[in-house]
Amino acid sequence: MTSLDQMPAVVLNLVLENCEFREIVVLRKVCKSLRNFIDSTAPDLKLPCIILKVYDSNITINYGNDLNIRYQKFENGVGVCLQEDNKFTVLENANLLDVVFVDLKFALTFQKSKMDQFTLRWDLKENFDTGDFVGRLGNILESNPLSTRAFHMEAHNQTEILSLLSKLDSQSLEELWIFNPDKQNPGGFFYLDRVVELDQWKNIKSIGIPTFSISEHLLPKFAHIVWSVLNFEEISFGGVVALKNALLRSPTFQICDFYYKTLKATDEQVEEEFGVPQVETRGKKWFLNIEGSEQILGIVQEKYTVYSRCRLYA
């Protein structure tokens, strides 16, 4: 019987086309010649997602289809296991990040089809060089631009977002979510002035920035977004009007939710611009005609304990 590594290339390619990520990883470990063949042909892994979760002493990667791999720092090296069985294979004298990035480079290099979601999360209590981690990941993506529908990231600053977002395929990206990694103390201001100039930004259809405050001066950069969730420490009435006017001109807009602590406007200013509202238990509603369209722009203002919410929808 012919062994797998001695089969004709056309047969091996057919085998690889019907293999999932886990099976390709196993085949690469059969023998050197098979590994070299796989690396030279670079079959598409067809991963539905990559979800990275970084902890102080371990990192988990979800490759979709219930394949979760955990990398654990040990005194004598690094343990690698499937999350569900918790049986570690220990790589002696190995470095945690080096092991993780070898596997990530393999996955990101071989992934050719568009995946649904790419995510990076942090759960850190000790000192960890997040900038170095993001930089190394960005270097891999620079050589292998990733095609993904959605990108979700917990980011400490704009530089971290730029390092990854700028390396993603701009034609594929439709959804962006940016979260504050500090889950105990969400909030704070997030700069986006360089992010909104990226080609990736210009093609995004939906965006969520629910746990950072952003500048209202960037609101015109959101006019092409179909669906958005935004957060402001304070917003001027002029900012709200500018957003309303931009959305009225947008042919794609559907919903914009934004939360704020302070709206710098009087009731008289609001009614002069939007008209007399429908008053309800939690807040107020307005309905405005969209010129040249049968659609109506709805505006809902609701007040909560700390934040208020304003929703504009077509």
Side-chain angles (χ1 to χ4, degrees):
M1 181 180 294
T2 304
S3 62
L4 190 60
D5 63 318
Q6 294 177 331
M7 288 183 176
V10 65
V11 176
L12 285 175
N13 282 324
L14 286 172
V15 171
L16 293 174
E17 284 177 11
N18 291 280
C19 286
E20 293 188 350
F21 174 68
R22 187 195 298 243
E23 295 160 338
I24 292 175
V25 170
V26 171
L27 287 175
R28 286 184 79 249
K29 296 179 180 180
V30 170
C31 64
K32 184 177 180 180
S33 61
L34 192 53
R35 181 174 68 250
N36 290 340
F37 178 83
I38 292 172
D39 290 351
S40 65
T41 56
D44 183 11
L45 299 181
K46 300 185 283 287
L47 295 172
C49 69
I50 293 179
I51 300 175
L52 282 159
K53 298 179 183 179
V54 182
Y55 302 86
D56 293 312
S57 59
N58 72 84
I59 296 171
T60 63
I61 305 179
N62 181 330
Y63 290 104
N65 297 329
D66 299 319
L67 179 58
N68 294 282
I69 299 179
R70 181 181 176 189
Y71 303 81
Q72 178 72 48
K73 185 187 296 184
F74 290 144
E75 286 186 6
N76 61 334
V78 177
V80 183
C81 75
L82 294 175
Q83 189 88 333
E84 60 266 26
D85 61 25
N86 210 34
K87 295 177 181 178
F88 286 99
T89 297
V90 178
L91 307 175
E92 294 187 1
N93 301 317
N95 175 273
L96 176 63
L97 294 187
D98 289 344
V99 173
V100 167
F101 280 110
V102 165
D103 286 0
L104 272 176
K105 185 175 182 179
F106 165 72
L108 293 170
T109 300
F110 283 31
Q111 177 73 14
K112 297 183 180 69
S113 54
K114 180 178 176 179
M115 67 171 55
D116 185 63
Q117 183 176 325
F118 181 52
T119 298
L120 174 59
R121 299 176 184 165
W122 313 95
D123 191 351
L124 303 170
K125 298 177 177 61
E126 302 174 3
N127 289 331
F128 187 99
D129 193 342
T130 59
D132 176 65
F133 187 95
V134 170
R136 293 178 69 171
L137 184 54
N139 288 338
I140 296 174
L141 291 171
E142 190 165 22
S143 303
N144 308 278
L146 182 65
S147 176
T148 179
R149 182 195 64 82
F151 176 46
H152 296 186
M153 181 176 180
E154 294 180 353
H156 298 85
N157 51 60
Q158 180 171 212
T159 300
E160 289 185 352
I161 282 285
L162 286 168
S163 295
L164 301 185
L165 180 60
S166 63
K167 311 298 190 331
L168 302 180
D169 178 44
S170 62
Q171 298 303 312
S172 301
L173 190 65
E174 300 176 17
E175 175 182 307
L176 173 66
W177 281 80
I178 303 172
F179 299 95
N180 189 335
D182 189 350
K183 301 165 187 65
Q184 301 301 318
N185 299 289
F189 187 81
F190 199 88
Y191 290 93
L192 283 172
D193 54 299
R194 289 182 289 163
V195 170
V196 297
E197 300 302 328
L198 295 175
D199 289 338
Q200 288 80 358
W201 177 272
K202 296 167 186 175
N203 290 322
I204 289 172
K205 294 182 174 64
S206 60
I207 183 165
I209 312 176
T211 53
F212 280 116
S213 294
I214 62 173
S215 170
E216 70 171 69
H217 300 297
L218 294 176
L219 284 174
K221 298 291 186 179
F222 289 80
H224 68 290
I225 304 293
V226 176
W227 183 90
S228 58
V229 177
L230 309 174
N231 191 27
F232 303 91
E233 189 70 18
E234 66 175 26
I235 185 168
S236 69
F237 186 61
V240 176
V241 173
L243 177 62
K244 183 255 307 183
N245 291 337
L247 297 179
L248 283 172
R249 294 191 296 270
S250 170
T252 58
F253 161 73
Q254 291 181 8
I255 294 177
C256 176
D257 274 326
F258 66 87
Y259 296 80
Y260 60 91
K261 282 187 177 179
T262 305
L263 172 62
K264 295 185 288 185
T266 64
D267 290 343
E268 289 75 15
Q269 284 178 301
V270 175
E271 290 193 11
E272 183 178 348
E273 177 68 28
F274 298 148
V276 179
Q278 294 182 12
V279 179
E280 300 186 349
T281 304
R282 191 176 287 175
K284 302 175 181 179
K285 282 185 178 181
W286 293 265
F287 298 97
L288 309 177
N289 292 320
I290 299 178
E291 188 175 349
S293 171
E294 295 181 357
Q295 285 187 300
I296 291 176
L297 177 70
I299 303 175
V300 179
Q301 183 187 38
E302 298 174 336
K303 294 186 177 181
Y304 300 93
T305 305
V306 178
Y307 280 90
S308 295
R309 183 188 75 146
C310 186
R311 164 171 282 195
L312 290 83
Y313 61 95

